[in-house]
């Protein structure tokens, strides 16, 4: 149950900090770190919870924004990057970066909690 709550809180607080906070884009890392300290789960579960929460949120937001402008901007950016103009690959890369950052922040928080105990 703590694992599912951790995934949900990770996505929810990442969204809240990004939308409502006047903070830098990487501020969700701090919230994931705090969630992993507050909810005692195993390090592997903490990593996957942070990765799933942030990765799914970033993928959904990127896809929603991409659909709103008929893939025009993402296709141009994918042409600049070595992605062959594939907007789907760009969304996947965006989600992967978010998932990696969220997962590593949660993993670090889990290790800090284990060190304190």
């Amino acid at each position: 149950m703590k694992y599912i709550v951790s995934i949900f809180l990770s996505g929810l607080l990442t969204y809240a900090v990004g939308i409502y906070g006047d903070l830098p884009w990487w501020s969700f890392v701090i919230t994931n770190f705090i969630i992993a300290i507050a909810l005692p789960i195993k390090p592997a579960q903490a990593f996957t919870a942070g990765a799933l929460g942030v990765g799914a949120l970033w993928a959904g937001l990127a896809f929603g924004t991409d659909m709103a402008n008929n893939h025009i901007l993402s296709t141009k950016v994918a042409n600049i990057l070595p992605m062959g103009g594939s907007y789907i690959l760009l969304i996947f890369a965006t989600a992967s970066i978010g998932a990696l950052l969220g997962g590593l922040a949660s993993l670090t928080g889990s290790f800090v909690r284990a060190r304190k105990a």
Side-chain angles (χ1 to χ4, degrees), residues 85-109:
S86 173
Y87 65 88
I88 294 173
L89 191 58
L90 183 65
I91 292 171
F92 179 75
T94 301
S96 297
I97 291 169
L100 185 63
L101 289 171
L104 289 175
S106 295
L107 181 65
T108 304

Side-chain angles (χ1 to χ4, degrees), residues 59-71:
L61 290 174
F63 187 72
T65 303
D66 190 44
M67 291 293 291
N69 67 17
N70 283 336
H71 317 292

Side-chain angles (χ1 to χ4, degrees), residues 32-66:
N32 279 2
F33 179 78
I34 293 170
I35 291 168
I37 290 175
L39 294 175
I41 56 177
K42 295 177 183 175
Q45 288 179 329
F47 178 82
T48 56
L52 287 174
V54 177
L57 177 71
W58 278 28
L61 290 174
F63 187 72
T65 303
D66 190 44

